[in-house]
Amino acid sequence: MVAADASINEPLVPAVIRPVVEGADADGYRPGSHHDFELLYEREALRLTRTIYAILGDREEAEDCVQEAFARAYRDWENYRPDAAARFWVQRIAINLALSRRRHQKQAVLKDRLLLRSHTPDRHAERM
């Protein structure tokens, strides 16, 4: 007879149990609570940096973008409406910032290429 795995019979309990608080989001973060914002940062910054790195391809740019996203979120933390989890709110801010940075980087590259072309002598003009 095969022994049953003891972990199968144990109840599934989340690693962190936070009490349900009136006005809090799905993860228990309360708008305006500095303590809750610190917890949000501690739990989500690394994961969000990995996501933004996948968009930008540069670790330092990703870290800067995430810092900027959390700074913007903190400025508006008092007004955050917990319609969805705060982590998704900050994630959306960071993704929008990353996409904007990537768009500006592409525009700068195109502008540099156009400037190079305009300063390169025209081969057709040399033949004449």
Side-chain angles (χ1 to χ4, degrees):
M1 183 172 191
V2 178
D5 186 1
S7 65
I8 293 174
N9 298 324
E10 293 177 14
L12 297 175
V13 179
V16 176
I17 299 175
R18 299 192 69 192
V20 176
V21 177
E22 185 70 32
D25 74 352
D27 292 332
Y29 298 115
R30 294 162 300 176
S33 168
H34 298 293
H35 175 73
D36 284 0
F37 193 85
E38 288 176 14
L39 287 174
L40 174 65
Y41 180 82
E42 289 171 8
R43 292 178 181 160
E44 300 300 327
L46 181 60
R47 182 182 345 198
L48 189 52
T49 301
R50 290 179 183 140
T51 300
I52 300 306
Y53 174 78
I55 294 170
L56 296 175
D58 182 284
R59 186 179 57 95
E60 288 182 14
E61 282 287 320
E63 289 171 352
D64 288 347
C65 194
V66 169
Q67 287 296 321
E68 176 65 22
F70 273 100
R72 288 184 183 194
Y74 186 76
R75 282 193 299 265
D76 206 28
W77 185 236
E78 298 281 334
N79 301 319
Y80 163 67
R81 292 185 322 249
D83 300 334
R87 59 192 160 107
F88 297 128
W89 176 57
V90 176
Q91 181 181 45
R92 178 50 34 205
I93 295 169
I95 289 171
N96 286 343
L97 285 169
L99 293 174
S100 178
R101 284 184 186 213
R102 192 172 70 178
R103 188 170 37 254
H104 289 296
Q105 288 170 348
K106 284 183 179 181
Q107 288 173 348
V109 168
L110 289 174
K111 185 177 179 180
D112 288 346
R113 286 181 184 169
L114 288 173
L115 285 173
L116 279 174
R117 283 186 187 166
S118 68
H119 294 301
T120 304
D122 188 5
R123 292 181 185 171
H124 299 292
E126 293 174 6
R127 292 182 190 169
M128 293 184 177

